[in-house]
Amino acid sequence: MFSSDKNIETISQLFRLVKHSIGLQGEYLKLDVMDKTVRVVTALLLFIVLALVVVAIAFFLSLSVALALAHSIGYPAAFGVVGAFYVIVFILFVSFRKTWIERPLIRFITSLLME
């Protein structure tokens, strides 16, 4: 009474659809992970390129400031002033690393991964 051929056929179709749905969800998960990975890698590479450009700019600006100061205070003192400036900047970055670096970076990566 309860197990007619039509019921068995319907249950069989249901199992096939559930299996297909699980397979599609697995494929979607793979694509989602790949998309997020590509986004993070792209952002990382962009950051590296921009960081290298900023380092090159800072190097040449530091050299030009030191050479400009050298005429008035001498070469050792001029390079010492530029070095002291970078020490102060380093100390500031270490002191405020959570607010200036960590939190914005965490927000950025989270926003990339949550899309």
Side-chain angles (χ1 to χ4, degrees), residues 20-97:
H20 181 67
S21 175
I22 290 172
L24 289 177
Q25 286 177 350
E27 289 296 318
Y28 175 75
L29 183 63
K30 286 180 191 175
L31 290 174
D32 190 43
V33 167
M34 187 185 320
D35 178 56
K36 291 181 191 308
T37 303
V38 167
R39 286 177 189 247
V40 169
V41 168
T42 302
L44 182 64
L45 289 175
L46 181 64
F47 174 77
I48 289 171
V49 168
L50 290 176
L52 288 174
V53 169
V54 167
V55 165
I57 290 170
F59 173 75
F60 285 111
L61 285 176
S62 299
L63 190 61
S64 65
V65 167
L67 291 175
L69 285 175
H71 295 295
S72 59
I73 62 174
Y75 284 101
F79 284 102
V81 167
V82 172
F85 170 75
Y86 281 114
V87 168
I88 291 169
V89 169
F90 176 76
I91 290 170
L92 286 173
F93 269 103
V94 169
S95 298
F96 296 107
R97 71 182 175 271

